[in-house]
Amino acid sequence: ICRQKFAAAYDRCVHTEKTCTTAEEKSAYMLAWMERIVKELDIPASLKEFGISADDLDSLVDAAMQVQRLLSNNMRPVTAEDARNIYLEIL
């Protein structure tokens, strides 16, 4: 589902020569584009850059699981273990 949404974003946002034809190519292009924006704007890509360590994980997961408006609008269910794994990936 996300791949299709990224492909639709490609169709709407890319105004140069459109070289991507498949949903996979379009979504990869959009992800790479967002990564370039993050780097260009010097947006931190790691929680460590905010002074967060592994010792903070339990409180982060607990807080994340309390934000019901985000959890209920997510495209798939998110468990506390899912949230912990996401935080571990960006730690």
Side-chain angles (χ1 to χ4, degrees), residues 30-59:
M30 293 304 292
L31 288 172
W33 187 35
M34 286 188 278
E35 287 175 356
R36 285 193 306 272
I37 291 170
V38 166
K39 285 182 182 178
E40 185 71 28
L41 296 176
D42 201 24
I43 297 171
S46 166
L47 291 176
K48 288 180 183 177
E49 296 177 65
F50 291 100
I52 295 173
S53 71
D55 293 338
D56 301 312
L57 280 180
D58 288 338
S59 60

Side-chain angles (χ1 to χ4, degrees), residues 28-90:
Y29 178 96
M30 293 304 292
L31 288 172
W33 187 35
M34 286 188 278
E35 287 175 356
R36 285 193 306 272
I37 291 170
V38 166
K39 285 182 182 178
E40 185 71 28
L41 296 176
D42 201 24
I43 297 171
S46 166
L47 291 176
K48 288 180 183 177
E49 296 177 65
F50 291 100
I52 295 173
S53 71
D55 293 338
D56 301 312
L57 280 180
D58 288 338
S59 60
L60 286 172
V61 170
D62 290 342
M65 298 312 293
Q66 299 303 312
V67 186
Q68 288 301 309
R69 70 178 169 78
L70 297 177
L71 294 172
S72 63
N73 288 315
N74 200 43
M75 294 180 71
R76 66 179 191 191
V78 177
T79 66
E81 183 178 340
D82 296 329
R84 179 177 299 284
N85 288 333
I86 291 168
Y87 283 126
L88 284 171
E89 283 187 39
I90 58 173

